[in-house]
Amino acid sequence: MTAADTVKDLHVEVKRCPECGTGFGTEAAFCPFDGLALKASTWDPTRDPLTGTVIEQRYEVIAPIGEGGMGTVYRVRHVTLDRMFAMKVLRRDLAADRGLAARFLQEARATAAIRHPAVVAISDFGSLADGAPYFVMDLLVGETLATRMRARGLLSPREASGIARKLADALSAAHAANVVHRDLKPENVFLVRSATSKGGVDEDVRIVDFGAAKIVGGSKLTRPGVVFGTPYYMSPEQAGGQPVDARADVYSLGVLLYEMITGAVPFEADTYMGVLTKHLFAAPPKPSERAPSGVQLGDLEAVVMRALEKEPSERYQSMTELAAAIERALEAKPDEQAPRAEAKPNRTLALPSLSTADKIERSVTRQLVEEHQRSRRVRIVAGVFAVVTVVVGGIGLLVLEGALAGPKKTELASSSASPTASVAASAAASTTEPSASVATSTSSDPLPSSPSGAVAASVPAAISAPPVTAAAPATTARPVAGQALGVAPARPKPPLPEPPRTTARPPGQVDPFTSKPPVPPATASDPLDPWRR
């Protein structure tokens, strides 16, 4: 089977951009120029205007082989050598940009300088009559890696590691020539079969389309905000529009190895920018979580995860280092063949390449699940926050009420204590004055040392007191006199608000409070005197 048959059969059904009309292979999902999702279409190779023409009297165009974002590939015959080659012609709309056409030829020259058997050899280049540039390369016999995975499903870890190690060796030679691929993907990896000296069939790899992203990426033909390239295999720095180096190819090869051993790329989304955003911020799931059961990856999983680090400084710093790590992983773990659909007819383990519609459906479903989980977490957090707010608010109110109740209790205590203290002070004063008069009378007019004599001596001192006002002092003075005489005091009465004055007035003076003449004092034989009973 020739490359023409393989690619021609593959590209009869193509996908086209609904805006710019550019055709792509069936494996493509988004237009690298506009970032829009591609739609299914067809391509008729027989209607190509270059078919049957001779270019620069050297190359006869036999038939188109395939159509892509950069241009169209033809199968041509060298007129003088009578040898078959492949010719890639830049698209006419791209060729109208002279700067882009110049970069196309410059990258062709740089690729021709790479000397490695796994890099497709470029033998010639030039321009058509209308100015569109072209270059001539070897005609490859075999199939692309995309065709292999679509037909057979995922590869065994050993088979995938062998292909990745050969690609790393080829890319190491390209990096030594200061050429970065920037668009490594299964469609740009060709699996070539050749006969061996022992009569068997050997399979080698070829890398094509070097520098395509660099050629078109700086042109004004790409929509603003769209990074040229295949988003599923693009490094984070390239997705963010940052300068790239050889470590960008390390990331792309890590994605390619991830897909070969799991049957799926690490990140998928329903939009071009959605995929790039995940490359920039999302952590890739481990290959062991997506690989079929029974497939043992061993140390190969760690190799893949390090190649997929977001920061270039945390990845393998060169393809040589990556190739050595893959080799060590192969030596550390024996071959674990992936289950095949042929071995187990009841289980379909040969996973075909998903179409764009399937990828979009699966991505939308995953986003819906993630959104549901995210909303559930938000509701839980909101509920916890509400409960904490209520508890903290209740505690704050209790503390505030306690702080306000303290001063109020202090004020009430002081206000209730002040009248009592004043009344007690007044009572003490009124009690002291009669005692003093008793003492004075005793010293001036000595009487017999008897209770009757002591009381009789104190009576003349209160002759001027009116009957109403004198009753209060006599009542309050009795417990004091009784205490002095050793008699048990009577139960005290509630204090009066304002006790009357007990100061003795001269005989015959009018009471200033009642404006009445004084009442004559009781005699010693007065039967109303309680002390004479």
Side-chain angles (χ1 to χ4, degrees):
M1 180 174 57
T2 64
D5 296 333
T6 302
V7 183
K8 180 177 178 180
D9 294 340
L10 181 63
H11 287 80
V12 170
E13 295 182 357
V14 297
K15 292 182 179 179
R16 294 190 181 276
C17 175
E19 183 166 331
C20 65
T22 305
F24 300 90
T26 55
E27 297 84 4
F30 303 100
C31 177
F33 299 98
D34 305 308
L36 300 178
L38 302 177
K39 295 184 178 181
S41 180
T42 58
W43 173 58
D44 186 4
T46 61
R47 302 181 61 180
D48 192 284
L50 287 181
T51 302
T53 62
V54 178
I55 299 174
E56 294 186 339
Q57 300 181 355
R58 289 182 295 171
Y59 299 101
E60 177 186 3
V61 180
I62 305 300
I65 298 176
E67 184 181 27
M70 287 287 295
T72 306
V73 180
Y74 299 90
R75 183 158 59 101
V76 299
R77 184 181 67 87
H78 196 284
V79 176
T80 304
L81 300 178
D82 193 19
R83 179 182 172 185
M84 303 302 293
F85 290 92
M87 175 184 291
K88 186 168 187 176
V89 180
L90 188 64
R91 281 172 38 194
R92 286 176 173 78
D93 56 339
L94 299 180
D97 185 343
R98 293 188 176 181
L100 190 149
R103 288 196 301 273
F104 180 83
L105 293 177
Q106 180 180 356
E107 289 299 319
R109 294 188 182 96
T111 305
I114 303 174
R115 301 298 181 185
H116 193 277
V119 177
V120 63
I122 296 179
S123 56
D124 197 3
F125 49 85
S127 299
L128 301 181
D130 58 2
Y134 70 88
F135 62 82
V136 180
M137 56 186 173
D138 292 340
L139 182 63
L140 303 177
V141 178
E143 61 184 355
T144 64
L145 182 59
T147 305
R148 171 70 60 83
M149 289 192 295
R150 186 176 66 252
R152 298 174 53 186
L154 72 164
L155 309 180
S156 69
R158 178 166 294 276
E159 184 180 4
S161 300
I163 294 176
R165 185 165 47 83
K166 294 177 181 179
L167 293 175
D169 291 339
L171 291 170
S172 178
H175 296 163
N178 296 323
V179 177
V180 181
H181 195 288
R182 291 182 174 85
D183 194 23
L184 188 65
K185 56 184 178 180
E187 291 83 0
N188 289 336
V189 176
F190 214 88
L191 303 178
V192 181
R193 293 186 295 272
S194 60
T196 62
S197 59
K198 297 182 180 181
V201 177
D202 190 15
E203 189 172 65
D204 208 343
V205 299
R206 296 288 188 275
I207 305 176
V208 299
D209 277 356
F210 274 88
K214 182 178 180 181
I215 294 170
V216 183
S219 113
K220 59 184 179 181
L221 297 176
T222 56
R223 174 177 292 183
V226 176
V227 183
F228 185 89
T230 307
Y232 295 118
Y233 309 91
M234 194 176 295
S235 65
E237 58 270 26
Q238 186 177 355
Q242 302 298 322
V244 300
D245 54 19
R247 293 172 294 185
D249 286 345
V250 171
Y251 186 92
S252 299
L253 184 54
V255 176
L256 197 60
L257 182 55
Y258 187 105
E259 184 180 15
M260 285 191 289
I261 61 179
T262 64
V265 292
F267 303 113
E268 291 181 292
D270 55 348
T271 62
Y272 189 92
M273 293 305 299
V275 179
L276 298 186
T277 301
K278 290 187 176 181
H279 277 296
L280 287 169
F281 304 109
K286 294 183 178 180
S288 58
E289 298 175 357
R290 306 183 70 174
S293 59
V295 177
Q296 301 296 327
L297 301 178
D299 295 340
L300 188 60
E301 181 175 60
V303 175
V304 174
M305 295 302 292
R306 183 178 176 185
L308 294 180
E309 289 289 346
K310 304 296 183 187
E311 292 295 332
S313 59
E314 297 179 1
R315 303 175 203 148
Y316 297 104
Q317 298 301 295
S318 66
M319 283 294 176
T320 303
E321 186 178 353
L322 176 57
I326 295 175
E327 185 68 26
R328 288 194 299 270
L330 286 175
E331 295 175 354
K333 189 67 182 178
D335 184 20
E336 297 289 346
Q337 295 292 333
R340 301 288 184 181
E342 296 79 7
K344 294 184 179 181
N346 57 338
R347 290 185 61 190
T348 306
L349 296 177
L351 302 178
S353 179
L354 296 176
S355 63
T356 303
D358 295 334
K359 292 179 179 179
I360 291 175
E361 181 181 358
R362 187 165 65 176
S363 177
V364 170
T365 303
R366 186 183 300 113
Q367 287 185 352
L368 290 176
V369 173
E370 293 176 355
E371 184 65 25
H372 175 71
Q373 295 176 350
R374 189 182 302 108
S375 61
R376 183 180 179 183
R377 289 194 297 268
V378 170
R379 289 194 299 269
I380 294 175
V381 172
V384 173
F385 179 77
V387 172
V388 172
T389 303
V390 171
V391 173
V392 173
I395 295 175
L397 290 176
L398 294 177
V399 172
L400 182 60
E401 289 180 358
L404 294 177
K408 290 183 179 180
K409 291 181 179 179
T410 304
E411 293 176 1
L412 292 175
S414 61
S415 61
S416 61
S418 297
T420 305
S422 61
V423 172
S426 301
S430 62
T431 306
T432 306
E433 289 178 0
S435 301
S437 13
V438 171
T440 305
S441 301
T442 305
S443 60
S444 59
D445 190 9
L447 295 176
S449 56
S450 61
S452 303
V455 174
S458 62
V459 171
I463 294 177
S464 61
V468 178
T469 57
T475 303
T476 56
R478 286 169 189 164
V480 177
Q483 291 176 8
L485 298 175
V487 182
R491 178 178 298 177
K493 295 183 179 180
L496 297 178
E498 291 183 5
R501 299 179 182 180
T502 59
T503 305
R505 290 182 294 276
Q509 184 177 358
V510 179
D511 187 6
F513 295 97
T514 61
S515 300
K516 295 181 180 181
V519 179
T523 61
S525 61
D526 189 354
L528 297 178
D529 188 2
W531 295 97
R532 293 297 181 182
R533 293 180 184 178

